[in-house]
Amino acid sequence: MTAQATISSDGCCAPPRRSGVNKQAKHSIQELADLAKAVGHPARVQILRLLLERDTCVAGEIVEQLPLAQSTVSQHLKVLREAGLITGCEDGSRICYCVDPKAIARLKELVTGL
């Protein structure tokens, strides 16, 4: 549901007026919630920033840049991949990660639409 708050005379928000939410809006709400959950940890935000700064495929350097164990970084990378924010492709015996620019643009669009 979407709500529109109005400002009362004392400067405080009045109770929101409710209006219906269409199917597309519900999908966008769920999509935003899923993406927000994926970036809801400081380590995952750091990983995204690192990948965005490099603008190239990054493998082992991610672990070197964070004060976290390899297994912890791997778990955070998994969450970001499952959310579609990053992609990973095999490069020999390691996985090379990069940001999906369309997914980042969509996240920005959804947050802007709040």
Side-chain angles (χ1 to χ4, degrees):
M1 296 219 156
T2 59
Q4 292 181 336
T6 56
I7 306 297
S8 66
S9 60
D10 63 358
C12 190
C13 291
R17 296 178 304 217
R18 302 267 179 213
S19 62
V21 176
N22 64 31
K23 194 173 187 176
Q24 185 177 4
K26 284 183 182 180
H27 174 73
S28 294
I29 290 167
Q30 186 61 54
E31 186 180 8
L32 176 57
D34 292 343
L35 291 170
K37 184 176 180 182
V39 296
H41 191 282
R44 293 193 285 269
V45 173
Q46 284 181 292
I47 290 169
L48 282 174
R49 283 187 173 168
L50 175 68
L51 294 174
L52 286 165
E53 287 170 2
R54 301 286 172 87
D55 197 30
T56 61
C57 213
V58 179
E61 303 107 72
I62 296 171
V63 175
E64 296 169 5
Q65 297 294 318
L66 299 172
L68 301 170
Q70 165 68 49
S71 59
T72 303
V73 172
S74 292
Q75 182 59 37
H76 288 304
L77 289 166
K78 179 182 176 190
V79 171
L80 292 169
R81 279 182 77 175
E82 288 174 350
L85 292 167
I86 65 172
T87 59
C89 51
E90 291 186 29
D91 182 21
S93 62
R94 59 188 185 164
I95 299 177
C96 190
Y97 295 97
C98 54
V99 171
D100 181 338
K102 289 181 182 178
I104 297 298
R106 180 65 177 150
L107 173 60
K108 289 178 181 179
E109 177 185 331
L110 289 166
V111 169
T112 302
L114 283 175

mmCIF file of all heavy atoms in Angstrom, residues 52-92:
data_model
loop_
_atom_site.group_PDB
_atom_site.id
_atom_site.type_symbol
_atom_site.label_atom_id
_atom_site.label_comp_id
_atom_site.label_asym_id
_atom_site.label_seq_id
_atom_site.Cartn_x
_atom_site.Cartn_y
_atom_site.Cartn_z
ATOM 1 N N LEU A 52 32.898 -1.421 -7.771
ATOM 2 C CA LEU A 52 32.569 -0.240 -8.577
ATOM 3 C C LEU A 52 33.803 0.632 -8.829
ATOM 4 O O LEU A 52 33.953 1.202 -9.905
ATOM 5 C CB LEU A 52 31.473 0.582 -7.890
ATOM 6 C CG LEU A 52 30.073 -0.015 -7.966
ATOM 7 C CD1 LEU A 52 29.143 0.666 -6.961
ATOM 8 C CD2 LEU A 52 29.512 0.094 -9.370
ATOM 9 N N GLU A 53 34.683 0.732 -7.845
ATOM 10 C CA GLU A 53 35.901 1.528 -8.009
ATOM 11 C C GLU A 53 36.822 0.924 -9.059
ATOM 12 O O GLU A 53 37.459 1.640 -9.819
ATOM 13 C CB GLU A 53 36.673 1.616 -6.685
ATOM 14 C CG GLU A 53 36.047 2.516 -5.667
ATOM 15 C CD GLU A 53 36.710 2.396 -4.293
ATOM 16 O OE1 GLU A 53 37.703 1.628 -4.160
ATOM 17 O OE2 GLU A 53 36.230 3.044 -3.354
ATOM 18 N N ARG A 54 36.890 -0.378 -9.102
ATOM 19 C CA ARG A 54 37.793 -1.061 -10.022
ATOM 20 C C ARG A 54 37.231 -1.084 -11.432
ATOM 21 O O ARG A 54 37.979 -1.078 -12.385
ATOM 22 C CB ARG A 54 38.052 -2.500 -9.566
ATOM 23 C CG ARG A 54 38.665 -2.607 -8.199
ATOM 24 C CD ARG A 54 40.138 -2.213 -8.223
ATOM 25 N NE ARG A 54 40.694 -2.132 -6.895
ATOM 26 C CZ ARG A 54 41.224 -3.138 -6.229
ATOM 27 N NH1 ARG A 54 41.269 -4.321 -6.768
ATOM 28 N NH2 ARG A 54 41.714 -2.954 -5.023
ATOM 29 N N ASP A 55 35.935 -1.201 -11.557
ATOM 30 C CA ASP A 55 35.275 -1.276 -12.862
ATOM 31 C C ASP A 55 35.877 -2.373 -13.746
ATOM 32 O O ASP A 55 35.907 -2.262 -14.958
ATOM 33 C CB ASP A 55 35.315 0.080 -13.568
ATOM 34 C CG ASP A 55 34.301 0.158 -14.708
ATOM 35 O OD1 ASP A 55 33.258 -0.515 -14.611
ATOM 36 O OD2 ASP A 55 34.560 0.865 -15.688
ATOM 37 N N THR A 56 36.420 -3.378 -13.095
ATOM 38 C CA THR A 56 36.948 -4.551 -13.787
ATOM 39 C C THR A 56 36.571 -5.777 -12.986
ATOM 40 O O THR A 56 36.068 -5.671 -11.866
ATOM 41 C CB THR A 56 38.488 -4.509 -13.913
ATOM 42 O OG1 THR A 56 39.047 -4.479 -12.600
ATOM 43 C CG2 THR A 56 38.964 -3.321 -14.715
ATOM 44 N N CYS A 57 36.840 -6.910 -13.527
ATOM 45 C CA CYS A 57 36.573 -8.153 -12.832
ATOM 46 C C CYS A 57 37.632 -8.360 -11.753
ATOM 47 O O CYS A 57 38.827 -8.230 -12.011
ATOM 48 C CB CYS A 57 36.588 -9.290 -13.843
ATOM 49 S SG CYS A 57 35.449 -10.584 -13.434
ATOM 50 N N VAL A 58 37.199 -8.651 -10.539
ATOM 51 C CA VAL A 58 38.099 -8.766 -9.400
ATOM 52 C C VAL A 58 37.945 -10.137 -8.768
ATOM 53 O O VAL A 58 36.834 -10.601 -8.556
ATOM 54 C CB VAL A 58 37.788 -7.672 -8.350
ATOM 55 C CG1 VAL A 58 38.685 -7.795 -7.153
ATOM 56 C CG2 VAL A 58 37.895 -6.281 -8.968
ATOM 57 N N ALA A 59 39.056 -10.760 -8.447
ATOM 58 C CA ALA A 59 38.997 -12.078 -7.812
ATOM 59 C C ALA A 59 39.569 -11.996 -6.396
ATOM 60 O O ALA A 59 38.904 -11.545 -5.483
ATOM 61 C CB ALA A 59 39.741 -13.100 -8.649
ATOM 62 N N GLY A 60 40.797 -12.396 -6.194
ATOM 63 C CA GLY A 60 41.391 -12.514 -4.869
ATOM 64 C C GLY A 60 41.550 -11.220 -4.107
ATOM 65 O O GLY A 60 41.633 -11.238 -2.883
ATOM 66 N N GLU A 61 41.592 -10.105 -4.802
ATOM 67 C CA GLU A 61 41.827 -8.832 -4.100
ATOM 68 C C GLU A 61 40.712 -8.467 -3.130
ATOM 69 O O GLU A 61 40.915 -7.672 -2.227
ATOM 70 C CB GLU A 61 41.997 -7.690 -5.097
ATOM 71 C CG GLU A 61 43.106 -7.878 -6.094
ATOM 72 C CD GLU A 61 42.561 -8.200 -7.466
ATOM 73 O OE1 GLU A 61 41.996 -7.320 -8.126
ATOM 74 O OE2 GLU A 61 42.731 -9.356 -7.880
ATOM 75 N N ILE A 62 39.540 -9.002 -3.317
ATOM 76 C CA ILE A 62 38.424 -8.667 -2.429
ATOM 77 C C ILE A 62 38.759 -9.058 -0.994
ATOM 78 O O ILE A 62 38.597 -8.273 -0.073
ATOM 79 C CB ILE A 62 37.116 -9.338 -2.899
ATOM 80 C CG1 ILE A 62 36.711 -8.801 -4.265
ATOM 81 C CG2 ILE A 62 36.000 -9.107 -1.880
ATOM 82 C CD1 ILE A 62 35.573 -9.547 -4.922
ATOM 83 N N VAL A 63 39.244 -10.261 -0.812
ATOM 84 C CA VAL A 63 39.591 -10.736 0.524
ATOM 85 C C VAL A 63 40.715 -9.900 1.109
ATOM 86 O O VAL A 63 40.705 -9.579 2.298
ATOM 87 C CB VAL A 63 39.968 -12.235 0.494
ATOM 88 C CG1 VAL A 63 40.448 -12.704 1.859
ATOM 89 C CG2 VAL A 63 38.777 -13.065 0.039
ATOM 90 N N GLU A 64 41.671 -9.523 0.274
ATOM 91 C CA GLU A 64 42.801 -8.718 0.745
ATOM 92 C C GLU A 64 42.376 -7.338 1.219
ATOM 93 O O GLU A 64 43.048 -6.733 2.047
ATOM 94 C CB GLU A 64 43.839 -8.578 -0.372
ATOM 95 C CG GLU A 64 44.472 -9.894 -0.781
ATOM 96 C CD GLU A 64 45.284 -9.778 -2.061
ATOM 97 O OE1 GLU A 64 45.447 -8.649 -2.590
ATOM 98 O OE2 GLU A 64 45.747 -10.820 -2.546
ATOM 99 N N GLN A 65 41.276 -6.823 0.705
ATOM 100 C CA GLN A 65 40.826 -5.467 1.024
ATOM 101 C C GLN A 65 39.910 -5.401 2.247
ATOM 102 O O GLN A 65 39.609 -4.307 2.724
ATOM 103 C CB GLN A 65 40.096 -4.861 -0.171
ATOM 104 C CG GLN A 65 40.957 -4.700 -1.398
ATOM 105 C CD GLN A 65 42.064 -3.681 -1.190
ATOM 106 O OE1 GLN A 65 41.845 -2.625 -0.596
ATOM 107 N NE2 GLN A 65 43.251 -3.994 -1.652
ATOM 108 N N LEU A 66 39.455 -6.534 2.727
ATOM 109 C CA LEU A 66 38.502 -6.549 3.837
ATOM 110 C C LEU A 66 39.089 -7.287 5.039
ATOM 111 O O LEU A 66 39.797 -8.270 4.865
ATOM 112 C CB LEU A 66 37.205 -7.239 3.410
ATOM 113 C CG LEU A 66 36.449 -6.591 2.253
ATOM 114 C CD1 LEU A 66 35.299 -7.489 1.821
ATOM 115 C CD2 LEU A 66 35.932 -5.226 2.641
ATOM 116 N N PRO A 67 38.760 -6.831 6.240
ATOM 117 C CA PRO A 67 39.260 -7.504 7.444
ATOM 118 C C PRO A 67 38.382 -8.708 7.823
ATOM 119 O O PRO A 67 37.942 -8.850 8.960
ATOM 120 C CB PRO A 67 39.182 -6.399 8.504
ATOM 121 C CG PRO A 67 37.999 -5.590 8.076
ATOM 122 C CD PRO A 67 38.029 -5.618 6.563
ATOM 123 N N LEU A 68 38.120 -9.556 6.837
ATOM 124 C CA LEU A 68 37.234 -10.694 7.042
ATOM 125 C C LEU A 68 37.890 -11.958 6.515
ATOM 126 O O LEU A 68 38.717 -11.912 5.607
ATOM 127 C CB LEU A 68 35.907 -10.474 6.304
ATOM 128 C CG LEU A 68 35.094 -9.243 6.687
ATOM 129 C CD1 LEU A 68 33.953 -9.042 5.707
ATOM 130 C CD2 LEU A 68 34.567 -9.374 8.101
ATOM 131 N N ALA A 69 37.464 -13.081 7.049
ATOM 132 C CA ALA A 69 37.961 -14.370 6.590
ATOM 133 C C ALA A 69 37.460 -14.661 5.176
ATOM 134 O O ALA A 69 36.415 -14.155 4.765
ATOM 135 C CB ALA A 69 37.492 -15.475 7.544
ATOM 136 N N GLN A 70 38.196 -15.468 4.460
ATOM 137 C CA GLN A 70 37.827 -15.861 3.100
ATOM 138 C C GLN A 70 36.408 -16.415 3.061
ATOM 139 O O GLN A 70 35.621 -16.064 2.186
ATOM 140 C CB GLN A 70 38.821 -16.910 2.586
ATOM 141 C CG GLN A 70 38.363 -17.658 1.335
ATOM 142 C CD GLN A 70 38.307 -16.777 0.101
ATOM 143 O OE1 GLN A 70 39.268 -16.071 -0.165
ATOM 144 N NE2 GLN A 70 37.227 -16.823 -0.636
ATOM 145 N N SER A 71 36.070 -17.272 4.010
ATOM 146 C CA SER A 71 34.737 -17.889 4.005
ATOM 147 C C SER A 71 33.636 -16.861 4.219
ATOM 148 O O SER A 71 32.556 -16.960 3.622
ATOM 149 C CB SER A 71 34.650 -18.978 5.076
ATOM 150 O OG SER A 71 34.911 -18.430 6.359
ATOM 151 N N THR A 72 33.901 -15.850 5.029
ATOM 152 C CA THR A 72 32.912 -14.800 5.277
ATOM 153 C C THR A 72 32.716 -13.960 4.024
ATOM 154 O O THR A 72 31.585 -13.640 3.639
ATOM 155 C CB THR A 72 33.354 -13.905 6.449
ATOM 156 O OG1 THR A 72 33.562 -14.737 7.599
ATOM 157 C CG2 THR A 72 32.322 -12.842 6.767
ATOM 158 N N VAL A 73 33.809 -13.601 3.358
ATOM 159 C CA VAL A 73 33.723 -12.837 2.114
ATOM 160 C C VAL A 73 32.963 -13.647 1.076
ATOM 161 O O VAL A 73 32.097 -13.119 0.365
ATOM 162 C CB VAL A 73 35.121 -12.438 1.604
ATOM 163 C CG1 VAL A 73 35.044 -11.816 0.213
ATOM 164 C CG2 VAL A 73 35.786 -11.481 2.579
ATOM 165 N N SER A 74 33.247 -14.940 1.002
ATOM 166 C CA SER A 74 32.548 -15.803 0.039
ATOM 167 C C SER A 74 31.045 -15.804 0.293
ATOM 168 O O SER A 74 30.250 -15.773 -0.652
ATOM 169 C CB SER A 74 33.089 -17.228 0.119
ATOM 170 O OG SER A 74 34.409 -17.267 -0.350
ATOM 171 N N GLN A 75 30.653 -15.833 1.549
ATOM 172 C CA GLN A 75 29.222 -15.817 1.877
ATOM 173 C C GLN A 75 28.585 -14.490 1.448
ATOM 174 O O GLN A 75 27.491 -14.468 0.888
ATOM 175 C CB GLN A 75 29.007 -16.053 3.377
ATOM 176 C CG GLN A 75 27.563 -16.110 3.788
ATOM 177 C CD GLN A 75 26.771 -17.216 3.091
ATOM 178 O OE1 GLN A 75 27.270 -18.296 2.841
ATOM 179 N NE2 GLN A 75 25.529 -16.921 2.754
ATOM 180 N N HIS A 76 29.273 -13.385 1.687
ATOM 181 C CA HIS A 76 28.752 -12.078 1.273
ATOM 182 C C HIS A 76 28.661 -11.983 -0.252
ATOM 183 O O HIS A 76 27.687 -11.448 -0.789
ATOM 184 C CB HIS A 76 29.602 -10.947 1.832
ATOM 185 C CG HIS A 76 29.441 -10.737 3.301
ATOM 186 N ND1 HIS A 76 28.223 -10.504 3.894
ATOM 187 C CD2 HIS A 76 30.355 -10.742 4.305
ATOM 188 C CE1 HIS A 76 28.390 -10.355 5.200
ATOM 189 N NE2 HIS A 76 29.668 -10.499 5.466
ATOM 190 N N LEU A 77 29.642 -12.514 -0.940
ATOM 191 C CA LEU A 77 29.610 -12.528 -2.404
ATOM 192 C C LEU A 77 28.433 -13.354 -2.903
ATOM 193 O O LEU A 77 27.761 -12.980 -3.871
ATOM 194 C CB LEU A 77 30.920 -13.076 -2.964
ATOM 195 C CG LEU A 77 32.130 -12.154 -2.818
ATOM 196 C CD1 LEU A 77 33.413 -12.917 -3.093
ATOM 197 C CD2 LEU A 77 32.011 -10.943 -3.727
ATOM 198 N N LYS A 78 28.159 -14.445 -2.238
ATOM 199 C CA LYS A 78 27.029 -15.293 -2.611
ATOM 200 C C LYS A 78 25.711 -14.530 -2.499
ATOM 201 O O LYS A 78 24.863 -14.586 -3.388
ATOM 202 C CB LYS A 78 26.993 -16.535 -1.718
ATOM 203 C CG LYS A 78 25.836 -17.459 -2.017
ATOM 204 C CD LYS A 78 25.824 -18.643 -1.069
ATOM 205 C CE LYS A 78 24.583 -19.500 -1.343
ATOM 206 N NZ LYS A 78 24.388 -20.508 -0.322
ATOM 207 N N VAL A 79 25.545 -13.778 -1.423
ATOM 208 C CA VAL A 79 24.319 -12.995 -1.221
ATOM 209 C C VAL A 79 24.177 -11.955 -2.334
ATOM 210 O O VAL A 79 23.098 -11.786 -2.904
ATOM 211 C CB VAL A 79 24.306 -12.323 0.172
ATOM 212 C CG1 VAL A 79 23.152 -11.335 0.302
ATOM 213 C CG2 VAL A 79 24.229 -13.381 1.269
ATOM 214 N N LEU A 80 25.254 -11.268 -2.653
ATOM 215 C CA LEU A 80 25.221 -10.255 -3.708
ATOM 216 C C LEU A 80 24.939 -10.875 -5.072
ATOM 217 O O LEU A 80 24.211 -10.298 -5.883
ATOM 218 C CB LEU A 80 26.529 -9.469 -3.736
ATOM 219 C CG LEU A 80 26.783 -8.562 -2.533
ATOM 220 C CD1 LEU A 80 28.217 -8.046 -2.532
ATOM 221 C CD2 LEU A 80 25.785 -7.417 -2.490
ATOM 222 N N ARG A 81 25.480 -12.050 -5.321
ATOM 223 C CA ARG A 81 25.216 -12.750 -6.593
ATOM 224 C C ARG A 81 23.764 -13.178 -6.689
ATOM 225 O O ARG A 81 23.122 -13.019 -7.731
ATOM 226 C CB ARG A 81 26.114 -13.978 -6.730
ATOM 227 C CG ARG A 81 27.503 -13.667 -7.200
ATOM 228 C CD ARG A 81 28.320 -14.909 -7.355
ATOM 229 N NE ARG A 81 27.949 -15.596 -8.587
ATOM 230 C CZ ARG A 81 28.561 -16.663 -9.050
ATOM 231 N NH1 ARG A 81 29.571 -17.180 -8.396
ATOM 232 N NH2 ARG A 81 28.189 -17.216 -10.181
ATOM 233 N N GLU A 82 23.247 -13.752 -5.614
ATOM 234 C CA GLU A 82 21.859 -14.212 -5.621
ATOM 235 C C GLU A 82 20.885 -13.058 -5.824
ATOM 236 O O GLU A 82 19.823 -13.234 -6.411
ATOM 237 C CB GLU A 82 21.546 -14.960 -4.327
ATOM 238 C CG GLU A 82 22.213 -16.325 -4.260
ATOM 239 C CD GLU A 82 22.033 -17.028 -2.933
ATOM 240 O OE1 GLU A 82 21.548 -16.399 -1.957
ATOM 241 O OE2 GLU A 82 22.393 -18.217 -2.853
ATOM 242 N N ALA A 83 21.255 -11.873 -5.342
ATOM 243 C CA ALA A 83 20.414 -10.688 -5.538
ATOM 244 C C ALA A 83 20.572 -10.116 -6.942
ATOM 245 O O ALA A 83 19.802 -9.247 -7.337
ATOM 246 C CB ALA A 83 20.760 -9.628 -4.493
ATOM 247 N N GLY A 84 21.576 -10.591 -7.673
ATOM 248 C CA GLY A 84 21.799 -10.107 -9.031
ATOM 249 C C GLY A 84 22.620 -8.836 -9.118
ATOM 250 O O GLY A 84 22.754 -8.263 -10.194
ATOM 251 N N LEU A 85 23.167 -8.377 -7.995
ATOM 252 C CA LEU A 85 23.940 -7.138 -8.006
ATOM 253 C C LEU A 85 25.337 -7.323 -8.581
ATOM 254 O O LEU A 85 25.926 -6.372 -9.095
ATOM 255 C CB LEU A 85 24.025 -6.554 -6.590
ATOM 256 C CG LEU A 85 22.688 -6.040 -6.050
ATOM 257 C CD1 LEU A 85 22.774 -5.786 -4.559
ATOM 258 C CD2 LEU A 85 22.279 -4.782 -6.791
ATOM 259 N N ILE A 86 25.873 -8.532 -8.456
ATOM 260 C CA ILE A 86 27.175 -8.823 -9.045
ATOM 261 C C ILE A 86 27.087 -10.118 -9.845
ATOM 262 O O ILE A 86 26.151 -10.911 -9.665
ATOM 263 C CB ILE A 86 28.296 -8.937 -7.983
ATOM 264 C CG1 ILE A 86 28.070 -10.142 -7.059
ATOM 265 C CG2 ILE A 86 28.419 -7.655 -7.182
ATOM 266 C CD1 ILE A 86 29.237 -10.410 -6.112
ATOM 267 N N THR A 87 28.042 -10.285 -10.717
ATOM 268 C CA THR A 87 28.149 -11.530 -11.466
ATOM 269 C C THR A 87 29.525 -12.114 -11.201
ATOM 270 O O THR A 87 30.452 -11.403 -10.805
ATOM 271 C CB THR A 87 27.968 -11.306 -12.979
ATOM 272 O OG1 THR A 87 28.962 -10.391 -13.431
ATOM 273 C CG2 THR A 87 26.594 -10.759 -13.298
ATOM 274 N N GLY A 88 29.641 -13.390 -11.424
ATOM 275 C CA GLY A 88 30.916 -14.051 -11.242
ATOM 276 C C GLY A 88 31.146 -15.043 -12.364
ATOM 277 O O GLY A 88 30.230 -15.757 -12.755
ATOM 278 N N CYS A 89 32.348 -15.039 -12.885
ATOM 279 C CA CYS A 89 32.678 -16.006 -13.923
ATOM 280 C C CYS A 89 34.017 -16.649 -13.563
ATOM 281 O O CYS A 89 34.876 -16.014 -12.950
ATOM 282 C CB CYS A 89 32.722 -15.358 -15.298
ATOM 283 S SG CYS A 89 33.739 -13.900 -15.406
ATOM 284 N N GLU A 90 34.142 -17.900 -13.915
ATOM 285 C CA GLU A 90 35.352 -18.641 -13.588
ATOM 286 C C GLU A 90 36.513 -18.159 -14.441
ATOM 287 O O GLU A 90 36.385 -17.956 -15.642
ATOM 288 C CB GLU A 90 35.125 -20.129 -13.768
ATOM 289 C CG GLU A 90 34.175 -20.690 -12.730
ATOM 290 C CD GLU A 90 34.055 -22.193 -12.792
ATOM 291 O OE1 GLU A 90 35.030 -22.864 -13.202
ATOM 292 O OE2 GLU A 90 32.987 -22.695 -12.431
ATOM 293 N N ASP A 91 37.626 -17.977 -13.769
ATOM 294 C CA ASP A 91 38.871 -17.578 -14.417
ATOM 295 C C ASP A 91 39.939 -18.541 -13.909
ATOM 296 O O ASP A 91 40.606 -18.275 -12.909
ATOM 297 C CB ASP A 91 39.212 -16.127 -14.064
ATOM 298 C CG ASP A 91 40.481 -15.643 -14.740
ATOM 299 O OD1 ASP A 91 40.875 -16.233 -15.759
ATOM 300 O OD2 ASP A 91 41.080 -14.674 -14.223
ATOM 301 N N GLY A 92 40.023 -19.681 -14.563
ATOM 302 C CA GLY A 92 40.925 -20.727 -14.081
ATOM 303 C C GLY A 92 40.358 -21.354 -12.823
ATOM 304 O O GLY A 92 39.218 -21.815 -12.802
#
